[in-house]
Amino acid sequence: MEQKYERIEAYLDGTLPEAERKAFEAEIAKDAEIAKEIKLHRRLQSTLGNEAEWQFRQNLEAISDGYQAPDKNKNPGKQGTLRLFLGILTLSILASLLYFFFMPGPDTPPAERPEIEQPAPSPTAPEEAPADEPEVQETTPAPTTPEAPPIAAIPSDQPNAALEALVTASPLSTAYELAVEADLSDPGFALEGEMLSAQYKADQIMTITLFDNQPGSYPDAPLHTGELQVMEIDEDAPLAFAAKKAYFLAYEAELDLPAGLYYYVIRTEGEAEALWVGKVEQ
Amino acid sequence: MRPADDEYIKAIQNNDRKGLEQLYQEFLPRISAFLRRNGGSDADAKDVFQDALIVLFKKVQAPEFQLTSGFYTLLYGICRNLWGNRLQKKSGNEVSIPEDYKYTNEPVLTQLIEQQEEEQVFWDAFKQLGQDCQQLLQLFFAKIKMAEIAERMEYSSVGYAKKRKFQCKEQLIKRVKADARYSELLQ
């Protein structure tokens, strides 16, 4: 077996003497098994002998081993506020339930009241908090005032947590599978990508809506809305996988936007459901 | 080509660690999301993503290479094809996997994806070998002379180096042949 390997290697290296090479080639022509074996040795050599690929793979493996999925809570301040808000809301609901459960009705005699003291109004209650304090303190929940605290503006380059989650989850539909990229360079906003869909119809309109990064901008305060160009890709291509068709998507608009982080949402016209949410920064 | 796309291509072309790390941060979460929705796990996503980058690594070496779509569009298309192929193989003939997982029309890319899948069988077999064999075969496949291999590996003789090389290669071939993908891919 060892000799067989050496013979194959010498043949592949071109170092087999002429007479031996000819004899070996005659053998290969007759024996499919040897031919297969040679093919395997050749492929092993060409694959595992590729120095550049070795280094590339080593690099990728090291990166992959140390890879941590990006923290969706990258913006702890914003996320903290959101979590705090949800916490307070939950507490408020619980407190309201407790209140109605234990609160006597108008005909309940005072003696039947449970021994729960209503807390005296605190001087640090939220409604008295300074107006410039963006975050509600967890220690001063307002069980009887469950209104949402005002949403504070964030710097224009800071991620919007709710939209970031949609960006990470995109494409959001299996019926309209999109892969899209956009940029905000001169002359404005440009987008291109591909879509796979069995449902898309030629007269269907796909829209793009642009939002800034501010809390509350999505979905009610769009900056810009437009219609995507949709073109079927190479109708004559041998698509054995014809259930879904591939489309090229494009959009361009001259927009004069200040520097900052923006999000764009793709939908089919008339539908609220987003198919793709992407982000773009300038 | 967008400036960021250009940077991504350069990172792959130059095997630039920082640029590649950025690529992972930027795009792997999206590929993971796609795979999770299509029967895969985060670990599958890492594998598919790595394989897709290797496909791109080979593609960008070609002198005629030109990015004709957005970078992510290309990357996503490759990942989708790789995952579609894997799902199909996993399912055998029992489960019908939609053929529309494959939609890349570019023949060169389809060929590179197939090549990557074939070669992965070799890399996977190789990774199962002991450290000593991996080191020895890496030198052997890099066409280092046996005398130098013996020296570098601190073997007692060239004869022993040759013997060891044979044993390691035999193990490698055995593992390749034992891989179920081998019979499908390399025949």
Side-chain angles (χ1 to χ4, degrees):
Chain A
M1 187 64 108
E2 196 170 341
Q3 280 84 14
K4 182 179 139 194
Y5 275 27
E6 282 185 359
R7 200 177 175 206
I8 292 174
E9 283 158 11
Y11 173 71
L12 293 175
D13 283 346
T15 55
L16 215 53
E18 180 71 11
E20 266 187 68
R21 182 181 61 80
K22 281 187 175 166
F24 195 39
E25 278 172 355
E27 222 177 295
I28 296 166
K30 278 187 283 178
D31 190 338
E33 276 308 303
I34 291 186
K36 219 186 267 182
E37 199 75 7
I38 287 173
K39 189 177 164 192
L40 176 57
H41 280 255
R42 184 184 284 128
R43 295 290 313 268
L44 278 172
Q45 174 61 54
S46 64
T47 304
L48 301 172
N50 184 335
E51 185 63 25
E53 191 178 328
W54 261 102
Q55 287 169 3
F56 188 69
R57 279 176 174 271
Q58 274 174 347
N59 225 349
L60 293 188
E61 264 158 37
I63 295 170
S64 183
D65 287 346
Y67 171 80
Q68 296 285 326
D71 190 359
K72 283 178 190 165
N73 307 334
K74 240 188 217 167
N75 186 3
K78 176 80 193 90
Q79 279 289 319
T81 310
L82 184 69
R83 222 175 291 141
L84 192 60
F85 169 65
L86 290 174
I88 290 168
L89 199 65
T90 313
L91 277 176
S92 305
I93 293 166
L94 276 174
S96 306
L97 284 173
L98 280 172
Y99 180 80
F100 286 114
F101 185 74
F102 289 111
M103 188 69 183
D107 54 343
T108 311
E112 286 178 23
R113 279 189 180 194
E115 308 86 296
I116 292 179
E117 292 287 328
Q118 289 301 311
S122 155
T124 54
E127 60 267 30
E128 289 176 28
D132 59 346
E133 175 113 22
E135 292 193 9
V136 178
Q137 296 302 309
E138 202 168 19
T139 51
T140 60
T144 53
T145 53
E147 301 101 35
I151 303 170
I154 57 173
S156 65
D157 61 345
Q158 289 298 300
N160 174 315
L163 283 162
E164 285 292 321
L166 292 173
V167 170
T168 305
S170 288
L172 301 163
S173 159
T174 46
Y176 295 84
E177 255 192 61
L178 284 94
V180 176
E181 281 177 295
D183 66 83
L184 269 175
S185 50
D186 202 37
F189 179 80
L191 169 147
E192 67 173 44
E194 282 183 24
M195 174 176 74
L196 278 176
S197 178
Q199 286 190 14
Y200 178 77
K201 292 180 184 65
D203 58 351
Q204 205 169 355
I205 292 171
M206 302 202 66
T207 62
I208 172 153
T209 316
L210 199 63
F211 297 91
D212 65 22
N213 69 330
Q214 294 304 308
S217 73
Y218 175 77
D220 299 324
L223 297 173
H224 171 83
T225 299
E227 208 174 288
L228 283 182
Q229 263 184 287
V230 184
M231 286 157 281
E232 191 172 339
I233 297 173
D234 197 2
E235 291 171 62
D236 301 325
L239 300 170
F241 28 89
K244 286 189 184 179
K245 285 182 178 171
Y247 300 88
F248 178 70
L249 306 175
Y251 185 72
E252 260 186 29
E254 284 187 30
L255 297 173
D256 190 17
L257 295 167
L261 180 61
Y262 297 89
Y263 295 87
Y264 55 96
V265 177
I266 296 178
R267 303 179 176 106
T268 50
E269 196 184 40
E271 296 291 329
E273 184 202 358
L275 306 175
W276 174 273
V277 180
K279 64 177 171 178
V280 63
E281 198 164 4
Q282 170 160 271
Chain B
M1 191 194 284
R2 298 181 187 86
D5 284 356
D6 192 29
E7 293 302 312
Y8 296 137
I9 297 294
K10 274 189 195 148
I12 295 172
Q13 257 163 349
N14 304 330
N15 191 12
D16 168 51
R17 177 71 179 256
K18 273 200 165 168
L20 291 171
E21 278 172 353
Q22 207 186 327
L23 257 161
Y24 267 77
Q25 292 295 329
E26 189 71 30
F27 300 116
L28 181 51
R30 294 194 210 172
I31 300 300
S32 289
F34 163 68
L35 254 75
R36 280 198 301 271
R37 274 195 309 279
N38 288 281
S41 64
D42 285 345
D44 292 325
K46 266 189 179 183
D47 277 354
V48 165
F49 191 75
Q50 182 168 330
D51 289 356
L53 290 181
I54 293 164
V55 169
L56 277 175
F57 177 72
K58 287 176 183 157
K59 188 169 166 64
V60 299
Q61 310 300 327
E64 68 277 7
F65 171 74
Q66 234 186 338
L67 194 61
T68 51
S69 64
F71 178 80
Y72 179 64
T73 311
L74 176 64
L75 179 67
Y76 176 82
I78 298 171
C79 289
R80 200 175 196 289
N81 276 282
L82 284 166
W83 182 240
N85 289 348
R86 275 179 213 184
L87 275 183
Q88 206 157 24
K89 276 178 199 116
K90 261 194 207 172
S91 70
N93 294 323
E94 289 164 24
V95 184
S96 155
I97 297 299
E99 277 287 310
D100 52 63
Y101 271 99
K102 303 167 195 170
Y103 74 105
T104 303
N105 292 321
E106 201 183 325
V108 178
L109 202 54
T110 309
Q111 199 183 329
L112 282 174
I113 289 171
E114 277 167 18
Q115 188 187 334
Q116 164 57 22
E117 285 173 327
E118 285 175 18
E119 291 180 357
Q120 199 54 44
V121 177
F122 300 146
W123 288 101
D124 288 347
F126 181 82
K127 277 195 273 180
Q128 291 169 30
L129 300 175
Q131 273 303 313
D132 177 64
C133 271
Q134 286 196 22
Q135 238 176 309
L136 168 59
L137 287 180
Q138 185 177 0
L139 296 170
F140 168 72
F141 287 127
K143 305 247 178 208
I144 308 290
K145 290 203 160 56
M146 286 316 285
E148 195 182 329
I149 292 179
E151 204 183 306
R152 285 210 216 170
M153 297 293 293
E154 297 180 356
Y155 291 149
S156 53
S157 67
V158 175
Y160 178 75
K162 281 185 180 173
K163 188 158 192 64
R164 190 82 189 114
K165 182 267 296 173
F166 162 71
Q167 288 169 342
C168 292
K169 200 173 179 189
E170 194 180 33
Q171 272 188 49
L172 174 68
I173 288 177
K174 224 171 161 178
R175 286 170 204 270
V176 168
K177 288 182 176 172
D179 192 315
R181 295 169 292 177
Y182 171 73
S183 51
E184 288 172 37
L185 295 168
L186 301 173
Q187 299 305 302

